[in-house]
Amino acid sequence: MPALSSTMKEGKVVSWLKAEGDPISAGEAIMVVESDKADMDVEAFDDGFLAAIITGEGDSGAVGAPVALIAAEEADIPALQAYAATLSGAPAPAAAAAAAAPAAAAPKAAAPAAPAAPKSAGDRVVASPLAKKRAQELGLDLSAIVGTGPNGRITASDVENAKSGGAAPAKKAAPAKPSWTPAPGVIAATPMARAAAKKAKLDLSTIAGTGQFGRVTLDDVKAATGEAKPKRKVAAGGAEPVEMPSGLVPFTGMQRAVSNNMVATLTTPVFRASRDIGMDKFNALYRSVKDKGVSVSALLAKAVALAIEKHPIINSQFSEEGTVFVPDINIAMAVAIDGGLITPTLKYANERPVTELAENWKELVGKARSNSLSPDEYTSGTFTISNMGMFGVNQFDAILPSGQGGILAVAATREVIEPDAQAVLGLKKTQKMTVTLTCDHRQIYGADAALWLKTLADIMENKAESLLL
């Protein structure tokens, strides 16, 4: 199991892109792993054959633990499969064959089962490379062999059974509709069903699921316990009651990483400073470049980066020996995605034109939502922006990420009335936005934060055109 990020402790195998016995090449993707940040393809490090899968789909493994065995030569596959069986606790192929021998020698029933019908000559035969090679050596017709592998795939064991005359297990009838089969040992059930079964001390594997793809639902558990679902009374003219979720839902890898990172921040002494920023000129600038694909996020990142240029201490990191100044200004911005939170990073934001930043940000957000960001694209931030203005939030504080000196919480733009000596009635309507800066107080002081906020406000209120340079 590779370490796909600096904070990854374990990974879950989402899917295997290759089957046992398949040839693989160095650099070829062979599986998809869910890390603590995203789902990522994992490539083979050498040429060979995927001899045995140790960690199945849906299972997790610690970083550095073996997930599969790769054979340098095809002839080594049986030996590695036997070794893999000892790791997983399953009987080795040789032992399994020996155990099956007495059964083969048992007296035959009066009406022996009819052999499975061979495939017609026009049907495509799906077999592992090892099975094809073994069948060719033995002179056997693969179309006459019943496969017991996934989706009827013919394995090397099926060829050996055909050679010895042993009957292969009968194939199961294909389901009427496409179905999803959970990984071995995984019982598909809703979180509420799991909680109810645990409370009733029921084994989920004994309950027939009626949900989508055979998933066990809460109603299935209640039916198994004989519990009648109570009918809640509805007040006259009231709405039907809504069943709310309950019970434990385990964290995903990303959610666990976010939780751990939040706990780690508790050891950092921080302070916060807020300021209102006039948004009239900034919003006018945005309207003028919106048609060119420039987003508010790109303009904010550029403004923050230019303010950091004037106050490098805001971009610094704490060390036991002193303050570490970071020469690159990489602006990370929080993005909420299904199942967690991630911070794609606009690198060198102070040096790049805002049009390029906007294009890069659009690409990063797309990758974040498809779980395809590379570690460098979400771990290289030196300063973070958390923007909840689009949700109408008037003011909030953000939690400082570990290893950074500051994070800026950006709230919604709002209309306010303020005094203006030049206005007819002495008042004018303007747009304001509240920003709150959270800093590491070990190397950044209150005056540093106040001066940086003043510079940021000056850029956005009076020098908005500088964002296009």
Side-chain angles (χ1 to χ4, degrees):
M1 179 65 69
L4 301 179
S5 73
S6 59
T7 58
M8 178 175 166
K9 303 299 182 184
E10 67 173 13
K12 182 172 75 174
V13 177
V14 176
S15 63
W16 282 98
L17 307 178
K18 293 287 185 177
E20 290 185 352
D22 284 353
I24 57 177
S25 303
E28 181 181 16
I30 58 174
M31 65 175 176
V32 179
V33 170
E34 178 191 282
S35 71
D36 57 351
K37 298 290 186 181
D39 293 352
M40 300 183 67
D41 291 346
V42 175
E43 300 175 349
F45 54 83
D46 207 348
D47 296 340
F49 297 84
L50 184 59
I53 293 174
I54 299 173
T55 305
E57 293 182 358
D59 294 336
S60 299
V63 169
V67 294
L69 301 179
I70 295 177
E73 302 294 339
E74 193 172 6
D76 299 332
I77 293 179
L80 288 177
Q81 288 180 336
Y83 173 64
T86 65
L87 297 177
S88 62
K108 296 183 179 179
K119 300 178 180 66
S120 64
D123 289 346
R124 178 176 177 266
V125 178
V126 181
S128 69
L130 183 59
K132 292 178 180 179
K133 181 178 179 182
R134 189 63 179 145
Q136 185 178 11
E137 292 173 351
L138 298 174
L140 297 177
D141 181 7
L142 281 173
S143 64
I145 300 175
V146 177
T148 61
N151 300 318
R153 183 186 180 94
I154 300 172
T155 66
S157 299
D158 298 330
V159 177
E160 296 296 338
N161 284 337
K163 170 194 172 186
S164 59
K171 294 178 69 177
K172 295 182 180 179
K177 295 180 180 179
S179 63
W180 168 76
T181 303
V186 176
I187 300 170
T190 66
M192 295 176 68
R194 292 184 185 277
K198 183 178 180 180
K199 183 177 180 180
K201 298 182 179 179
L202 289 178
D203 183 358
L204 278 173
S205 63
T206 64
I207 302 175
T210 60
Q212 189 177 23
F213 300 125
R215 199 178 193 194
V216 179
T217 65
L218 178 61
D219 288 342
D220 297 330
V221 176
K222 288 184 175 181
T225 60
E227 176 187 355
K229 188 175 180 181
K231 183 69 176 178
R232 291 175 57 184
K233 294 182 179 180
V234 181
E240 285 290 329
V242 177
E243 183 179 357
M244 297 297 291
S246 65
L248 174 69
V249 178
F251 278 156
T252 63
M254 179 181 293
Q255 289 172 328
R256 187 178 297 109
V258 171
S259 175
N260 293 338
N261 290 341
M262 295 303 99
V263 172
T265 65
L266 296 177
T267 60
T268 302
V270 299
F271 72 94
R272 298 170 181 88
S274 298
R275 181 182 178 118
D276 283 345
I277 296 178
M279 296 295 290
D280 292 335
K281 291 186 178 180
F282 183 91
N283 288 341
L285 175 68
Y286 168 62
R287 289 191 293 270
S288 70
V289 296
K290 181 180 179 180
D291 292 341
K292 299 177 182 178
V294 176
S295 61
V296 171
S297 296
L299 288 170
L300 277 173
K302 183 70 172 181
V304 165
L306 292 179
I308 288 176
E309 275 189 342
K310 305 295 184 182
H311 307 276
I313 187 67
I314 302 298
N315 203 48
S316 67
Q317 299 173 353
F318 170 79
S319 167
E320 294 292 344
E321 289 75 30
T323 302
V324 179
F325 285 90
V326 183
D328 298 331
I329 301 177
N330 300 334
I331 305 299
M333 290 191 282
V335 173
I337 59 176
D338 269 351
L341 180 75
I342 200 164
T343 52
T345 303
L346 289 170
K347 303 182 74 172
Y348 319 116
N350 58 316
E351 303 172 6
R352 299 161 64 189
V354 72
T355 51
E356 183 181 324
L357 292 176
E359 185 177 348
N360 188 192
W361 180 244
K362 183 178 179 181
E363 177 189 7
L364 290 171
V365 171
K367 286 185 175 182
R369 289 175 177 160
S370 62
N371 292 324
S372 58
L373 286 170
S374 67
D376 184 61
E377 289 174 325
Y378 60 79
T379 61
S380 55
T382 60
F383 184 93
T384 299
I385 297 174
S386 180
N387 184 2
M388 291 208 293
M390 69 286 290
F391 301 116
V393 176
N394 288 330
Q395 191 275 333
F396 71 102
D397 299 337
I399 297 177
L400 180 68
S402 297
Q404 293 185 14
I407 179 172
L408 186 70
V410 178
T413 299
R414 65 193 187 280
E415 287 190 346
V416 299
I417 303 297
E418 64 180 14
D420 184 1
Q422 298 178 353
V424 176
L425 299 177
L427 296 172
K428 71 172 183 179
K429 183 169 66 175
T430 186
Q431 293 182 316
K432 295 281 188 180
M433 177 180 74
T434 301
V435 296
T436 300
L437 177 65
T438 301
C439 293
D440 188 335
H441 210 342
R442 292 174 294 183
Q443 84 274 16
I444 302 174
Y445 305 135
D448 298 321
L451 291 172
W452 183 83
L453 286 171
K454 181 180 179 181
T455 300
L456 178 64
D458 184 50
I459 291 172
M460 298 180 70
E461 292 175 348
N462 305 313
K463 302 174 182 175
E465 66 281 353
S466 67
L467 304 180
L468 302 181
L469 300 178

